[in-house]
Amino acid sequence: GDFATIEETMNNGINEAKQGLEIIQQVQAILPDVKSMGENADSFAAQLTDAAGKLKTTLPGVAQNAGSIIDGLKMVNTTVASVAKTVETAVADGELTEEEKAAIGDLLTAFASDLGDQMQFATDLQSFVVQLPNYQESSLLQELVSRLDNVKTLLQGLQQRVNELNTAVQNG
């Protein structure tokens, strides 16, 4: 009878280890995407800076609002880097403790929420710009709206990946 119990315990341990490795593989599969999106956020920030810069004199308010979106974008890559480091460190030993899961969960949830806020800021600025009387004639304003579309697409993709990463970690 004892042998069966020992065997069962060993099998459970092996299954848990396998499951842990699968989770870590999932995490490692998602992280490069998240990192490259973080880097994209930097280049999008540069494009947006360029578009907003052309509006500084004529529409300082719009340029200023775009500026805060740009600041947010610049923070994205910094946040991605620290999130990635935290997650990589946690999975480095091949397992995730409940404490690690909870801490990473809080971190990723906050980041996903922040990305949602940034998407909303971009949408609000677009709505404002599109209603400006000279929007139809202004290629600069249209460029800004188009750049903001790109930003929102990126942020949305990143938010989705961050949520997937969180799900993988929580199942770890």
Side-chain angles (χ1 to χ4, degrees):
D2 279 350
F3 185 70
T5 318
I6 293 167
E7 195 177 14
E8 192 184 335
T9 307
M10 278 174 62
N11 285 341
N12 287 346
I14 290 166
N15 287 337
E16 274 175 28
K18 272 189 197 161
Q19 197 184 359
L21 284 173
E22 279 168 25
I23 297 305
I24 287 160
Q25 282 168 346
Q26 281 183 344
V27 167
Q28 285 167 339
I30 298 169
L31 276 177
D33 268 6
V34 171
K35 285 181 185 174
S36 76
M37 286 174 166
E39 286 158 19
N40 285 348
D42 273 354
S43 64
F44 281 26
Q47 291 170 8
L48 199 55
T49 302
D50 185 49
K54 297 170 187 165
L55 298 168
K56 258 199 174 110
T57 46
T58 48
L59 291 163
V62 169
Q64 197 178 356
N65 279 326
S68 54
I69 293 170
I70 292 161
D71 291 341
L73 274 176
K74 287 179 180 166
M75 277 306 296
V76 166
N77 201 14
T78 312
T79 308
V80 162
S82 84
V83 163
K85 200 174 163 147
T86 304
V87 173
E88 284 166 343
T89 306
V91 297
D93 59 359
E95 63 173 340
L96 286 163
T97 64
E98 291 308 313
E99 290 81 9
E100 284 172 332
K101 284 186 201 180
I104 290 170
D106 290 345
L107 187 68
L108 294 178
T109 303
F111 186 34
S113 166
D114 180 50
L115 292 169
D117 292 343
Q118 289 190 47
M119 280 185 270
Q120 191 56 56
F121 295 148
T123 301
D124 294 346
L125 182 55
Q126 281 179 316
S127 304
F128 176 76
V129 169
V130 168
Q131 286 167 11
L132 291 170
N134 62 333
Y135 175 72
Q136 293 305 328
E137 295 82 56
S138 171
S139 59
L140 289 180
L141 291 176
Q142 290 165 12
E143 183 195 352
L144 181 67
V145 167
S146 158
R147 296 279 185 218
L148 288 167
D149 269 335
N150 295 343
V151 166
K152 288 196 313 192
T153 304
L154 175 72
L155 294 174
Q156 197 171 6
L158 184 55
Q159 187 185 46
Q160 194 181 337
R161 285 316 228 170
V162 166
N163 288 332
E164 285 171 17
L165 186 60
N166 201 6
T167 302
V169 166
Q170 297 315 315
N171 292 336

